[in-house]
Amino acid sequence: MKRLSVLLAGSALAVSANAVNWSKVSESPTGTIFSVDLNSIESSDISVIDKKPMDNITVSIRRTYPTQKNSAQKNDGKDGAATKETKAIKDKASQDTTLHHSDQQLLISCKDASYYKRAYVDYGADDKVIKSWQSEKPILTTKDFVVTTPKTIGRLIVDQACKSYQDGQKSV
């Protein structure tokens, strides 16, 4: 079952990767870049069971992390016992576990600027999948959504997705 959810998470995000239109939303002080795939924004048919009706949209976002310094490179020349071979193994292990970017699929409520993370896939060097996850919740309520705080990157992402969706609705 776990393999199936990993496959579904990967395929859900991979479908949107075929015709992507990444729009940079923000960059954090640490250098992480947050982008929204404008082509992935669409109305969602996922029901949220609650007293108040909610219209939701789905969107794919990407977090691209700054290049991280390799710990083996930092110790270069300091550990005389280490051979070139062991340094190469350390470099390879570091590349396999260092995040390059993370693609996430969100369910967004524009009404109250909130979101629910449906799935994510973390990638390392050469787009190698490091980790993936998909929500297994069959029924959602508004309590499952995270309300974003004004003037944060999360709110900027929600606002950008909602604005793009509304602009797309006007042109149809």
Side-chain angles (χ1 to χ4, degrees):
M1 185 66 171
K2 188 172 184 175
R3 282 187 182 181
L4 177 61
S5 68
V6 169
L7 288 171
L8 291 173
S11 64
L13 294 171
V15 168
S16 66
N18 289 334
V20 295
N21 182 9
W22 294 113
S23 174
K24 182 178 172 182
V25 174
S26 182
E27 185 170 346
S28 75
T30 60
T32 301
I33 297 171
F34 296 84
S35 305
V36 171
D37 176 11
L38 299 176
N39 290 345
S40 72
I41 301 170
E42 61 187 19
S43 178
S44 174
D45 59 355
I46 296 173
S47 297
V48 177
I49 310 298
D50 220 345
K51 293 179 182 176
K52 59 181 182 178
M54 282 177 66
D55 291 327
N56 301 301
I57 60 173
T58 56
V59 63
S60 293
I61 67 166
R62 174 170 283 180
R63 284 177 80 158
T64 305
Y65 300 95
T67 304
Q68 298 175 359
K69 299 289 184 205
N70 193 334
S71 61
Q73 292 171 342
K74 289 179 187 175
N75 293 331
D76 222 7
K78 294 181 184 174
D79 55 352
T83 65
K84 288 182 181 179
E85 187 175 302
T86 57
K87 285 182 185 178
I89 292 169
K90 285 181 186 177
D91 286 348
K92 176 71 173 135
S94 178
Q95 284 179 345
D96 288 346
T97 59
T98 302
L99 282 179
H100 178 266
H101 66 277
S102 177
D103 290 347
Q104 302 173 21
Q105 187 180 54
L106 304 179
L107 182 62
I108 293 177
S109 168
C110 296
K111 187 175 187 176
D112 61 1
S114 64
Y115 70 91
Y116 175 75
K117 188 183 296 187
R118 295 187 61 212
Y120 72 82
V121 179
D122 291 340
Y123 295 92
D126 301 325
D127 285 334
K128 181 179 178 182
V129 174
I130 295 174
K131 183 178 179 183
S132 65
W133 171 85
Q134 181 176 4
S135 171
E136 294 182 14
K137 287 188 118 181
I139 300 172
L140 297 176
T141 69
T142 53
K143 291 178 183 178
D144 294 313
F145 284 70
V146 176
V147 177
T148 58
T149 305
K151 299 182 182 178
T152 62
I153 292 174
R155 177 63 66 91
L156 288 172
I157 290 169
V158 168
D159 288 347
Q160 172 71 35
C162 292
K163 182 182 180 318
S164 295
Y165 178 73
Q166 291 166 351
D167 289 349
Q169 291 297 304
K170 290 176 186 174
S171 65
V172 174

